[in-house]
Amino acid sequence: MEEKLKKLVHQAGHNFGGNSQAIVQIVDLILKFAVQMRATDLHIEPLEEFLRIRYRIDGHLHELHQPLPIKFAAAISARIKILAKMDTTAAFSPLDGAIKFGEIEMRVASMPSFGAESLTIRLLDSAHNLHKISDLGFTSENEKIFRKMIAATSGMIILTGPMNSGKSTTLYAALRELNTSARAIMTLEDPIEQHISGVSQVQVNEKAGLTFAAGLRAMLRMDCNCMMVGEARDAETSKIAVRAALTGHLIFTTLHAKDSCSAVFRMIEMGVEPYLLASTLKGVVAQRLVRRLCPNCKKLVAANEIESKKIGAEKIFKPVGCEKCGGTGYFGRIALHEILNVDKNISELILYSRDLEKIHSAAIEGGLKSLAVDGLEKIRAGLTTLEELQRILGDEVNL
């Protein structure tokens, strides 16, 4: 990669317009390299003296080759915007576009920066993300709870977590499980990240008036059994979704909240009446992604005193680093899960209590395992490390 890039930069010389052959080849090389390295995001950032290229792999940003001369910034930006069918003359406005690169869907976002433009490209590899529920990293106990939850004929199921926590992957796995000829399924998404044969998937278009709320209202007239709303991002969408669940639909949605119990209060804060939420909510899945230890080079070692005390094991696996994992000791990611199963007791607390700690305590008594507990189980199973768990959870959970 490094040598090829140097050669193309030299060839570009002073002719580096957006359609010049060398710039076309440089952009093509960078995009191919991002796919080859399993990157989920590509950052192209103009700095004062050079154009930095970074790749997000397994959740971490990496500079994997030399930066480009800053004079190439406008030409690189123009070439990518041409591929993404974006307005190449609008250099001072944030824009969005998409590139179909082989089997890979790429979502492009631009932002004015230092007189040039910063570009972020998200890589959506549908061919390699068609996971089954059994592939998602659930413990056997959590998988049983989740399968029972999605087997309901009506009600609401919420997935919560920050950006890049794997919520969409879990949603798609659930929809594929439910996708039979006897069931009508519709989704409302922004963007559509994976295409599922047999499911009617609708792209949100706010400019055309197709918001989450408007789309959800329309979906209620379409005689479908199951609906997925990409995000309950406002009060109107949340209220419509809950009422849809009350009228016999199975509703999936996502929400930004710290953990499963906090998601309940987030819905109430957005104006959903507690009695409606108590009647419709089937469960909440909170999740995070941690890096998975490379199976090719991980090493079993004796745990030190602190590790042994926290993990509850005398021996643990540690990252080493090899050619397969690029020397990081990690390859791929695995999800941590916390599942709030809304039983009669939890439902009554949602209805009558405004105390988050009380609901959390009742959930723990009912069998809820926190993200930290799930993470510790995965450490003992040799799937990840204590350092990864602490990096992802930070101060949210006391380890």
Side-chain angles (χ1 to χ4, degrees):
M1 172 66 180
E2 193 81 43
E3 290 304 314
K4 287 182 182 178
L5 198 56
K6 282 181 182 178
K7 185 177 179 180
L8 288 172
V9 168
H10 178 72
Q11 288 176 3
H14 297 290
N15 178 23
F16 45 85
N19 285 311
S20 76
Q21 188 61 31
I23 291 297
V24 168
Q25 290 178 321
I26 286 172
V27 170
D28 192 55
L29 180 63
I30 289 170
L31 296 182
K32 284 181 178 177
F33 186 66
V35 174
Q36 178 188 334
M37 298 305 296
R38 304 179 295 107
T40 54
D41 299 270
L42 172 62
H43 292 247
I44 301 174
E45 306 157 308
L47 304 179
E48 290 186 21
E49 297 180 356
F50 53 83
L51 184 66
R52 180 169 68 178
I53 315 291
R54 293 192 290 174
Y55 304 81
R56 188 175 295 280
I57 302 166
D58 296 337
H60 280 238
L61 280 172
H62 300 271
E63 286 187 69
L64 299 177
H65 54 73
Q66 66 176 27
L68 297 176
I70 189 62
K71 66 182 182 180
F72 285 20
I76 295 288
S77 174
R79 176 58 188 166
I80 291 172
K81 290 171 78 172
I82 289 168
L83 291 173
K85 297 179 173 58
M86 296 159 70
D87 186 353
T88 57
T89 65
F92 301 102
S93 301
L95 296 172
D96 295 302
I99 299 170
K100 181 69 174 175
F101 194 78
E103 295 297 316
I104 311 295
E105 295 263 357
M106 297 185 176
R107 305 287 176 170
V108 183
S110 70
M111 179 69 73
S113 174
F114 283 109
E117 289 177 284
S118 291
L119 296 169
T120 301
I121 303 174
R122 168 150 291 188
L123 287 75
L124 307 172
D125 188 357
S126 299
H128 290 90
N129 284 304
L130 300 178
H131 296 293
K132 298 177 181 177
I133 289 175
S134 56
D135 299 330
L136 298 178
F138 284 113
T139 61
S140 57
E141 185 179 348
N142 276 342
E143 185 176 333
K144 287 178 185 176
I145 296 170
F146 185 66
R147 286 184 181 279
K148 183 179 179 181
M149 207 179 278
I150 68 172
T153 55
S154 65
M156 174 177 275
I157 297 167
I158 297 172
L159 275 87
T160 186
M163 286 183 65
N164 299 319
S165 58
K167 301 187 295 295
S168 295
T169 300
T170 302
L171 280 174
Y172 283 122
L175 292 180
R176 276 192 292 274
E177 184 96 359
L178 298 174
N179 186 21
T180 66
S181 59
R183 185 181 279 113
I185 303 174
M186 294 190 75
T187 74
L188 192 60
E189 306 174 59
D190 186 23
I192 297 172
E193 295 185 22
Q194 297 177 28
H195 296 278
I196 306 175
S197 178
V199 173
S200 298
Q201 295 175 266
V202 179
Q203 170 70 53
V204 167
N205 186 344
E206 294 192 359
K207 290 181 181 178
L210 183 54
T211 62
F212 276 112
L216 185 51
R217 284 197 190 93
M219 283 165 62
L220 291 174
R221 300 190 290 271
M222 297 301 292
D223 185 33
C224 53
N225 313 99
C226 175
M227 291 183 282
M228 188 269 272
V229 183
E231 184 181 352
R233 62 173 57 171
D234 55 47
E236 186 179 15
T237 306
S238 301
K239 290 176 182 178
I240 298 169
V242 168
R243 291 189 179 278
L246 193 66
T247 56
H249 300 84
L250 181 61
I251 305 289
F252 292 89
T253 192
T254 70
L255 189 67
H256 290 291
K258 187 177 77 169
D259 55 35
S260 58
C261 294
S262 297
V264 173
F265 283 82
R266 179 79 184 101
M267 291 292 284
I268 293 172
E269 284 171 0
M270 286 198 293
V272 175
E273 294 291 344
Y275 76 92
L276 290 175
L277 193 61
S279 301
T280 58
L281 188 62
K282 295 297 181 185
V284 183
V285 180
Q287 65 180 64
R288 302 285 190 278
L289 292 177
V290 293
R291 289 185 295 172
R292 185 194 291 264
L293 278 165
C294 175
N296 191 55
C297 64
K298 66 181 181 181
K299 184 179 180 182
L300 187 63
V301 300
N304 62 39
E305 188 178 345
I306 295 174
E307 291 170 334
S308 180
K309 184 177 180 182
K310 288 183 176 180
I311 299 168
E314 296 301 319
K315 289 189 175 183
I316 55 174
F317 281 95
K318 288 281 190 176
V320 177
C322 64
E323 186 177 346
K324 179 182 178 181
C325 62
T328 65
Y330 297 93
F331 189 88
R333 290 188 288 178
I334 189 170
L336 309 180
H337 299 101
E338 174 184 299
I339 303 183
L340 174 65
N341 184 33
V342 181
D343 56 17
K344 184 178 180 181
N345 186 31
I346 298 296
S347 182
E348 287 181 357
L349 285 172
I350 293 172
L351 184 59
Y352 298 113
S353 175
R354 297 294 181 273
D355 189 336
L356 176 59
E357 285 303 317
K358 188 175 287 188
I359 290 180
H360 187 259
S361 296
I364 294 291
E365 289 176 11
L368 178 142
K369 291 185 177 180
S370 69
L371 289 164
V373 170
D374 191 60
L376 291 172
E377 287 190 15
K378 289 178 168 70
I379 292 170
R380 287 191 287 269
L383 299 173
T384 190
T385 63
L386 183 61
E387 290 76 19
E388 271 297 287
L389 190 59
Q390 291 174 322
R391 180 181 68 84
I392 293 299
L393 299 183
D395 296 331
E396 290 183 25
V397 182
N398 181 18
L399 292 174

